[in-house]
Amino acid sequence: MVSQDPTLAIAPDDMLSARFDDLGVTLGADAATLRVWSGAAESVELVVFDDTDLDWITGTVPLAPAGGGVWTATTPLLRPGTRYAVRVDGPQAPGNTFNRGTLLLEPYSRGLVRTGYNGWRSVVVEGSFDWGGVGRPAVPMDRTVLYEGHLKGLSKRHPDVPGALRGTYAGLAHPAMVEHFLRLGVTSIQLLPVQAFATEPRLLQHGLTNYWGYNTLNFFTPHPEYATEDARRQGPEAILREFKGMVRLLHEAGLEVILDVVYNHTAEEGIGGPRSSLRGIDNRAYYRQDDDGAYIDVTGCGNSLNTSTDAAARLVLDSLRYWAEEVQIDGFRFDLAATLGRDAEHTFTPEHPLLRAIIDDPALADVKKIAEPWDVGMGGWQTGNFGDGWAEWNDRYRDRVRNFWLSDVDYARRASTSPVGIGGLAHRLAGSANTFSAERGPLAGVNFVTAHDGFTLRDLVSYDVKHNLGNGEHNRDGADTNRSFNHGAEGPTDDESILATRRKAMRNLLGTLLLSAGVPMLTAGDEFGRTQRGNNNAYCHDSALTWLSWQHAPWQRDLQAHVQRLLQLRRENPALRPVRFARWGEHTPSASVMEWYDEHGETMSIDRWTDPSHRTLQYVAASTPEFEESNRVLLMIHGTERPIEVTLPRIDDAARFVPLWSSADEVAAEGGSPLGPGDAVTLPGTSMRLFRVE
């Protein structure tokens, strides 16, 4: 790849330079100061508009150079509620796209209003809010259960949420939604993008919309369309107030708010796309390019934010500080985080100054940082390679768990034997020590089976192939390799045998997810088996296809009861949520010492781990607690469709095994008669059982 101009390359302390302090609008008693960074500009101008006619310019103010690429002006024209833009002019050269006539969003603006078909204006926002003494819940990572959902889709169809609040910030914090989150047992609501975003022109031409929101317009502004109609009518100040009110109410209930943030690219797309902000302010500094000005796109979205420059890196850091400090957000999930860690040569490094600054910044010390550890560029797959302080989406976990319960079973039906043994799954159950270093431990991994992109849990067990024709791309979009299995019929069926097998498969997937070491992430709606009718890339559907339905059949209520039971067991049994990996022959605080047995109750032999004809495992985890009581559990896993008799192992100091949960049960059951060492347990095909060891 061609390198960037070395004069733009970032040094470790450049982004923290005082010259970048107080960018954007700072309000004073009688006037406000605007500071804009553009290293290559020859002139910068503030443009102020009428409050109601956003094409009527009521004033302009030239900004003066203040050194270090910063331009500034102090004027009484800027006050809370002022609609404004900036115009920037500069030299014509490869990589530059200056146009003195283009009205641009100011990158640090806290509010936006729409003008015309697809135009926007920045708005000055004062932002005061009474938090009433409510602070962050500060849920420890070992107790964290992430619940990934779409802000609008979560409450849009909920019958107990008032119509005016459905699909809004206020709707998410309505008591009916809070009750569901708490009853389910999740701790942290991870929202798909809620920073202001735009729909791509290509989708608009097809009558579709960017529903997921991975197309950021501005890094500091809540998406206006998610506010109630009343707040939108009042303007950006009220929208921000509603957003903060949502956060406060969720915090009062003990629930964290995690934002999915998209700093890897912006809505300006490739050259020729919309020029709304950064491209017109300093294209060369903000976007990755070769020497001729062609974009180096490692995101697949047309552009890549160039975090190897100090201005772009500081923009990201300042945005994170704003959401953490001013909006009291509890954590961030970084979309395509590998892009943020690419240097001036476009190579990923875990010691990238921005990645280190995010971890080291005192303002971000107590918030969760979760990386999606890949992008689509060269060397883009980096799972396990982020540094201390980062958690990462564990796609290796996802793939192995899907394979074990779905693809391998499908293969065995056709070939009369499974393709692999149980060893790979055991690594994932125990916290993926083969992916994350001992220093980082199991909590570095965010385990998931499904996410917003890809099949829902129900579709994963109901479809062999994607069905994305409704996306307008002739079924070419979305992943082709899903590791799914329809269990004998593609999509809807009336065959009760197939339906029962699918339900058990969902319970196996959920049981594995919620009983594994690491941080579990549950996708909203999977707890009651929602479907997107086989669409594995429903990013462009803002409709009943993607909104959660809250009208459930009995089997869906039973499935949700299983999730509630599993999460209760996770809370009650610290052996299921170790903080550290155990070390052989050492006492490691807050770890779980693990022992492995076969179906005969004997210690697993070396050949049993890889033998595809032996896919039955008994996994004993014993906690080494620092802050909780000692605890020991046994998990049985059987990965073929033939039933099997399993002998409980004879373990030191184990007098009995108390049944806690079984995936074979249609209805989640509590308790059961205790069993003793050496007793036999019959496991149906493809099933799990959990016991407490006493």
Side-chain angles (χ1 to χ4, degrees):
M1 287 186 176
V2 179
S3 67
Q4 290 282 6
D5 182 342
T7 63
L8 296 177
I10 191 172
D13 295 328
D14 281 354
M15 80 179 82
L16 303 178
S17 170
R19 65 192 172 108
F20 293 111
D21 291 351
D22 301 319
L23 291 177
V25 174
T26 301
L27 292 169
D30 301 312
T33 298
L34 172 64
R35 285 167 53 86
V36 176
W37 183 90
S38 177
E42 294 176 341
S43 68
V44 180
E45 183 179 43
L46 166 67
V47 182
V48 177
F49 300 91
D50 180 75
D51 290 346
T52 56
D53 185 347
L54 297 180
D55 293 319
W56 179 13
I57 297 174
T58 59
T60 61
V61 179
L63 275 64
V70 174
W71 298 73
T72 184
T74 299
T75 173
L77 294 178
L78 290 173
R79 62 191 187 283
T82 296
R83 276 65 169 153
Y84 71 103
V86 295
R87 292 193 287 220
V88 183
D89 196 13
Q92 299 303 305
N96 289 345
T97 57
F98 293 112
N99 186 322
R100 71 177 64 189
T102 303
L103 295 164
L104 302 167
L105 291 175
E106 187 265 297
Y108 282 73
S109 52
R110 281 13 179 201
L112 300 179
V113 290
R114 186 185 292 275
T115 174
Y117 177 61
N118 204 27
W120 298 86
R121 300 284 184 260
S122 295
V123 180
V124 179
V125 171
E126 191 269 332
S128 62
F129 184 78
D130 181 7
W131 290 97
V134 177
R136 296 192 185 104
V139 179
M141 282 298 281
D142 68 302
R143 290 181 170 270
T144 297
V145 180
L146 299 166
Y147 185 80
E148 188 202 38
H150 189 282
L151 187 286
K152 181 176 183 178
L154 283 165
S155 67
K156 182 64 177 176
R157 301 176 72 189
H158 200 299
D160 296 330
V161 174
L165 303 185
R166 291 176 189 167
T168 70
Y169 299 123
L172 184 71
H174 186 272
M177 297 301 303
V178 171
E179 179 187 5
H180 176 72
F181 301 145
L182 296 179
R183 184 172 65 248
L184 192 61
V186 297
T187 67
S188 310
I189 313 305
Q190 181 175 301
L191 297 173
L192 270 64
V194 294
Q195 293 174 338
F197 62 87
T199 291
E200 298 89 331
R202 173 185 60 83
L203 289 176
L204 293 173
Q205 292 170 2
H206 288 85
L208 298 170
T209 185
N210 188 323
Y211 174 65
W212 286 352
Y214 291 89
N215 200 43
T216 312
L217 188 68
N218 176 271
F219 294 143
F220 291 83
T221 305
H223 191 58
E225 278 75 8
Y226 290 160
T228 58
E229 183 178 350
D230 183 57
R232 294 198 307 271
R233 186 167 49 247
Q234 294 179 56
E237 195 80 60
I239 292 170
L240 180 58
R241 189 163 54 247
E242 182 178 320
F243 191 103
K244 291 179 177 179
M246 171 194 74
V247 174
R248 183 178 65 187
L249 287 170
L250 292 173
H251 282 178
E252 285 179 347
L255 295 164
E256 293 184 318
V257 181
I258 312 291
L259 300 189
D260 194 333
V261 286
V262 187
Y263 295 119
N264 57 80
H265 76 284
T266 75
E268 292 185 306
E269 301 185 17
I271 293 293
R275 179 167 46 197
S276 57
S277 185
L278 302 180
R279 177 174 292 147
I281 291 173
D282 197 324
N283 184 59
R284 188 70 172 172
Y286 280 114
Y287 295 116
R288 293 187 179 274
Q289 304 169 40
D290 65 19
D291 293 339
D292 295 328
Y295 277 5
I296 295 172
D297 179 13
V298 298
T299 67
C301 300
N303 65 66
S304 303
L305 196 70
N306 187 7
T307 54
S308 72
T309 69
D310 47 15
R314 180 62 180 266
L315 176 65
V316 172
L317 191 63
D318 284 345
S319 173
L320 293 169
R321 289 169 170 171
Y322 170 74
W323 290 99
E325 293 185 311
E326 299 297 323
V327 194
Q328 291 294 293
I329 293 303
D330 301 278
F332 303 94
R333 179 267 187 188
F334 293 82
D335 182 63
L336 300 184
T339 299
L340 305 184
R342 290 182 179 270
D343 61 20
E345 298 296 325
H346 317 297
T347 300
F348 174 82
T349 170
E351 295 303 316
H352 189 285
L354 175 58
L355 299 184
R356 290 306 321 162
I358 290 170
I359 295 301
D360 295 338
D361 195 316
L364 304 176
D366 297 325
V367 302
K368 294 176 168 68
K369 299 102 173 169
I370 303 167
E372 183 185 36
W374 53 78
D375 63 20
V376 301
M378 186 75 70
W381 188 65
Q382 295 292 333
T383 306
N385 293 334
F386 279 67
D388 291 345
W390 288 93
E392 302 175 40
W393 272 26
N394 190 353
D395 56 317
R396 293 179 177 178
Y397 179 95
R398 174 200 63 198
D399 294 347
R400 176 58 64 185
V401 172
R402 288 186 180 191
N403 281 347
F404 186 84
W405 292 116
L406 301 174
S407 302
D408 293 356
V409 175
D410 179 22
Y411 182 96
R413 283 193 183 184
R414 291 180 282 106
S416 300
T417 184
S418 298
V420 296
I422 202 168
L425 181 70
H427 277 300
R428 302 304 162 194
L429 285 169
S432 298
N434 55 348
T435 300
F436 303 106
S437 67
E439 292 73 23
R440 297 178 68 194
L443 299 180
V446 172
N447 298 329
F448 65 107
V449 175
T450 66
H452 63 274
D453 54 345
F455 282 141
T456 66
L457 181 71
R458 179 174 170 185
D459 290 354
L460 197 63
V461 304
S462 304
Y463 293 89
D464 279 354
V465 295
K466 65 187 181 184
H467 296 264
N468 295 358
L469 284 174
N471 297 357
E473 299 183 45
H474 306 287
N475 211 41
R476 292 191 297 261
D477 65 305
D480 292 315
T481 302
N482 296 284
R483 296 175 167 84
S484 60
F485 179 34
N486 67 22
H487 292 87
E490 185 71 0
T493 180
D494 294 328
D495 188 316
E496 180 52 39
S497 175
I498 292 175
L499 292 174
T501 305
R502 287 177 178 177
R503 292 193 296 270
K504 185 174 60 171
M506 285 190 279
R507 295 193 294 270
N508 286 329
L509 291 164
L510 289 166
T512 305
L513 173 66
L514 301 179
L515 300 178
S516 293
V519 180
M521 185 187 79
L522 182 69
T523 303
D526 279 354
E527 68 269 32
F528 43 72
R530 67 176 287 256
T531 179
Q532 290 178 167
R533 303 198 295 274
N535 191 320
N536 76 348
N537 191 36
Y539 75 103
C540 54
H541 295 279
D542 185 357
S543 67
L545 180 71
T546 50
W547 305 335
L548 269 62
S549 170
W550 296 91
Q551 304 299 318
H552 301 146
W555 73 265
Q556 292 178 292
R557 293 192 288 272
D558 291 340
L559 184 64
Q560 181 171 314
H562 273 278
V563 175
Q564 292 172 221
R565 176 64 175 158
L566 286 163
L567 287 176
Q568 175 191 356
L569 293 171
R570 187 177 183 87
R571 289 192 301 273
E572 293 175 350
N573 292 276
L576 293 169
R577 41 183 175 82
V579 174
R580 302 178 181 91
F581 291 125
R583 297 177 184 269
W584 182 256
E586 299 180 16
H587 176 82
T588 304
S590 294
S592 287
V593 177
M594 298 168 185
E595 299 174 340
W596 310 89
Y597 303 92
D598 62 18
E599 66 268 31
H600 305 300
E602 303 294 333
T603 300
M604 283 283 285
S605 60
I606 297 297
D607 61 320
R608 283 293 183 100
W609 289 111
T610 56
D611 187 344
S613 65
H614 291 90
R615 286 166 55 91
T616 306
L617 177 69
Q618 299 188 77
Y619 158 51
V620 176
S623 68
T624 55
E626 292 178 276
F627 312 108
E628 300 179 79
E629 296 295 323
S630 296
N631 171 241
R632 190 161 43 165
V633 296
L634 180 145
L635 181 63
M636 289 182 178
I637 298 173
H638 177 50
T640 72
E641 293 195 290
R642 298 182 300 275
I644 192 170
E645 186 172 273
V646 178
T647 301
L648 286 163
R650 301 182 185 277
I651 307 172
D652 291 345
D653 302 323
R656 61 179 193 164
F657 297 85
V658 179
L660 299 176
W661 176 78
S662 171
S663 71
D665 295 337
E666 286 279 0
V667 179
E670 295 188 26
S673 299
L675 302 172
D679 285 354
V681 176
T682 299
L683 287 181
T686 55
S687 64
M688 306 172 65
R689 287 197 70 175
L690 180 70
F691 299 83
R692 185 171 58 251
V693 183
E694 298 179 347

